[in-house]
Amino acid sequence: MGAGKHGGLSGSNKSSRLIAAVVALVVLVAAGVALAVTADSLGTPQGSDALVEQAPTGLAEIDRSSQGGQDTAPASDAANAQEEEPLPPSPSTAGALHVEGAQLMDQNNQPIQLRGVSTHGLAWFPQFVNKELFQELRTDWGANVVRLALYPADEGGYATGGDRAKLEETLIKGIEYATAADLYVVVDWHTLSDKNPWWNAEDAKALLGRVAERFADNNNVLYEICNEPNGETTWSNVKTYANEIIPVIRAAAPNAVIITGTPNWSQDVAAAAADPLEFDNVMYSLHFYAATHQKDLRDALKKAVQGGLPVFVTEFGICEASGDGKIDYDSADAWVELMDDLDVSYICWNLSNKKESAALISSSSKKTSGFTVEDLSKEGLWLVQTLHAPGFDEEALRLATAPRKDNKAGSAMMVFSEGTLQWTATVSERWEEDGETFFLYDLTADNYSAALEEWTVRIPFSGPVTVTDNWNCEASAKGNVLTLTNTDYNGAVATGGSIADVGFIVKGSSSLAVVED
Ligand code: IDC
């Protein structure tokens, strides 16, 4: 997967091309001076053609190195990535951000929308903070922001007995990986079970102050000073906390964009709009979980933004507010449409393989980078489609999200029809072996029309398939699609005739199923 993973010319390649260019130049000059010389005397025609062909490339190489000797690899990588799907603006071009009215702006005073993913709690899923993955978030997922969630409370939290040094190190590494990957990064002080940000304000001040000092020269770091005030916490509690902590961050990073949570689990943006902070470059967060929060909260977002409040959806999920339960695609899509219309930035919860609907990675995947369609949860599949992620195979994504047929043993289904030849399949057996699931399908077909001499059956699956056995047909699998054709003895089917006893065994993930295509 992945756009732009090829390297540039290696050093030795470069120097041999230089030599070739010099040789080519000499040959070109010689050819120019002695036009009368016959082709034969320059050597074989192939030889001279080869040299002349190399000249332009070689000269271009010399040209580039004489203009400052920039390594050409990143530029060509970026160009390749852009050919496939343009990547969103990122720190290298959009630079430091600021806020004007309700809008987040880049260094060129252009509106900018950040879209990306949030980690789960750094205490619990630190393995998803890694260099490769963050790079892929940008090039393959099409994100331009990552959020690092540091819980002060909860088990193993920063202020509740967690390993502080390790948590801080994970946070710092996360900022460094995001910077190397050309991503914006939101440092999230993830107030949750601690309800009121004042409960752990001293820790927040010390830690966020240190981080701001360390990354004072970065143009890509945003600070979220409290995730979700809740319980009895009022906007006035949050405001006095913000008034105390913002100057601490600003002492080191005077222009950093700072986001604050709003009461009621970051849903009461109206309270903030009625009595906003008096700092520049601050934003207010609104969080939603699409299966729980519907039109009322969307209206609240719209009203706040249209009234001039800069809102950032620093966290959302497409399932229920518990982080689990059912997914509501219609609501999720309505939210995205609204946020895109309003140019509101958004970050999806969460980058982990926890067994919950809000995890972007499927719990059966043990990878920590290099994810393919197969590794993504339902929310993950939805997100990469929403981000138009350039690194995921479109056909595989389409089939992974297509309606599935049953894959339990005994399930019967229509699998393919062409003209009036209709194929029915039954999952006759399924079993597990070495961590993979095998499915035995038996097929029959009825021909309701003219006699045939040959046939082909195309069966799309939800994920990649491998055929391990087949009978009374030829079988080949490519990606998610299995193709069966007749053998030399069962291609002919009379009108009203049928084909029986065709079958195959495929292996794949336990959720592998035939899909409607
Ligand atoms: C959830 C996680 C879950 C974890 C729980 C408590 O998904 O695995 O056990 O936190 O730490 C929020 C919070 C966010 C929640 C999420 C889903 O900001 O931390 O994550 N959620 O409940 N607000 C609304 C929903």
Side-chain angles (χ1 to χ4, degrees):
M1 51 178 258
K5 292 245 170 79
H6 9 249
L9 291 172
S10 69
S12 66
N13 239 338
K14 269 188 184 161
S15 49
S16 62
R17 290 183 74 170
L18 244 163
I19 292 165
V22 172
V23 170
L25 250 180
V26 171
V27 171
L28 277 174
V29 169
V33 169
L35 272 175
V37 179
T38 63
D40 272 348
S41 69
L42 275 172
T44 62
Q46 297 96 310
S48 62
D49 280 348
L51 282 175
V52 171
E53 255 172 35
Q54 279 185 4
T57 331
L59 287 171
E61 195 63 38
I62 293 170
D63 216 5
R64 266 201 289 276
S65 44
S66 69
Q67 285 170 7
Q70 287 262 320
D71 191 335
T72 58
S76 66
D77 273 2
N80 284 335
Q82 269 164 25
E83 268 168 26
E84 291 179 18
E85 183 78 52
L87 293 176
S90 59
S92 62
T93 52
L97 306 179
H98 65 280
V99 180
E100 269 179 50
Q103 182 67 53
L104 187 60
M105 307 287 274
D106 72 7
Q107 66 177 1
N108 311 308
N109 278 324
Q110 294 301 311
I112 183 169
Q113 188 189 28
L114 304 186
R115 306 196 306 162
V117 301
S118 176
T119 64
H120 199 291
L122 296 182
W124 308 306
F125 293 93
Q127 67 273 33
F128 293 96
V129 177
N130 71 74
K131 204 171 176 191
E132 296 71 29
L133 176 55
F134 280 22
Q135 189 66 52
E136 289 162 11
L137 290 179
R138 172 153 169 73
T139 55
D140 295 350
W141 294 50
N144 58 0
V145 64
V146 63
R147 175 185 191 238
L148 303 169
L150 178 62
Y151 283 69
D154 289 88
E155 205 192 323
Y158 189 83
T160 47
D163 181 342
R164 289 184 169 222
K166 183 161 181 263
L167 286 167
E168 188 163 343
E169 190 193 314
T170 309
L171 181 66
I172 288 168
K173 286 265 178 266
I175 300 171
E176 289 171 352
Y177 298 151
T179 306
D182 198 13
L183 287 166
Y184 289 100
V185 53
V186 174
V187 174
D188 161 34
W189 184 254
H190 200 86
T191 312
L192 186 62
S193 63
D194 41 346
K195 299 181 180 179
N196 188 320
W198 277 109
W199 290 11
N200 292 306
E202 289 312 310
D203 283 331
K205 273 198 278 185
L207 179 72
L208 296 183
R210 252 192 331 272
V211 171
E213 248 172 57
R214 184 172 184 134
F215 294 98
D217 294 333
N218 279 44
N219 64 1
N220 62 329
V221 188
L222 296 82
Y223 296 86
E224 184 175 0
I225 57 177
C226 97
N227 168 52
E228 292 181 354
N230 61 82
E232 303 296 307
T233 312
T234 61
W235 171 243
S236 138
N237 298 143
V238 180
K239 192 172 179 185
T240 51
Y241 164 78
N243 284 339
E244 183 134 337
I245 192 164
I246 290 174
V248 175
I249 298 170
R250 287 277 163 82
N255 302 314
V257 169
I258 299 179
I259 310 155
T260 180
T262 54
N264 195 27
W265 289 277
S266 287
Q267 294 170 49
D268 194 358
V269 280
D275 182 19
L277 296 170
E278 274 148 33
F279 297 91
D280 288 337
N281 297 328
V282 289
M283 300 185 83
Y284 304 84
S285 63
L286 179 141
H287 292 174
F288 71 84
Y289 281 76
T292 303
H293 306 116
Q294 306 274 350
K295 189 168 180 302
D296 285 357
L297 194 57
R298 284 198 289 277
D299 288 347
L301 170 65
K302 198 165 165 186
K303 188 166 174 211
V305 173
Q306 288 178 345
L309 193 77
V311 179
F312 194 139
V313 174
T314 50
E315 183 187 300
F316 77 94
I318 66 170
C319 57
E320 296 171 14
S322 61
D324 211 356
K326 68 173 190 300
I327 284 175
D328 187 335
Y329 293 106
D330 289 342
S331 170
D333 291 341
W335 274 103
V336 165
E337 198 183 325
L338 178 64
M339 294 186 292
D340 286 346
D341 277 355
L342 297 172
D343 226 354
V344 162
S345 297
Y346 51 90
I347 299 180
C348 189
W349 181 260
N350 68 69
L351 197 49
S352 83
N353 65 344
K354 185 165 174 174
K355 213 171 169 47
E356 62 178 13
S357 310
L360 290 160
I361 309 302
S362 140
S363 57
S364 62
S365 169
K366 301 301 169 222
K367 295 182 192 166
T368 54
S369 65
F371 299 115
T372 64
V373 170
E374 281 289 272
D375 299 301
L376 299 178
S377 67
K378 285 184 179 151
E379 187 187 79
L381 290 167
W382 174 88
L383 183 69
V384 296
Q385 285 181 314
T386 299
L387 295 177
H388 302 292
F392 290 85
D393 185 274
E394 256 180 64
E395 170 79 347
L397 269 175
R398 198 174 57 75
L399 294 176
T401 50
R404 289 165 187 234
K405 317 256 190 188
D406 221 334
N407 68 356
K408 288 197 271 299
S411 314
M413 68 205 76
M414 284 280 299
V415 280
F416 187 71
S417 70
E418 190 171 62
T420 45
L421 186 62
Q422 297 202 337
W423 287 89
T424 310
T426 304
V427 184
S428 299
E429 284 176 56
R430 61 174 280 174
W431 66 95
E432 308 286 326
E433 209 175 291
D434 298 332
E436 286 191 288
T437 308
F438 291 73
F439 300 87
L440 188 158
Y441 283 84
D442 279 311
L443 281 78
T444 57
D446 293 309
N447 184 15
Y448 296 107
S449 184
L452 300 167
E453 291 305 319
E454 55 184 24
W455 45 264
T456 300
V457 189
R458 178 182 176 277
I459 307 178
F461 282 87
S462 55
V465 278
T466 306
V467 197
T468 62
D469 199 3
N470 54 287
W471 48 97
N472 299 328
C473 60
E474 308 293 339
S476 67
K478 189 160 180 270
N480 292 21
V481 177
L482 177 66
T483 305
L484 309 178
T485 50
N486 57 278
T487 60
D488 52 10
Y489 54 81
N490 67 357
V493 193
T495 303
S498 57
I499 311 164
D501 203 19
V502 169
F504 59 86
I505 297 172
V506 286
K507 65 172 179 176
S509 78
S510 61
S511 63
L512 185 71
V514 174
V515 293
E516 275 167 35
D517 189 16

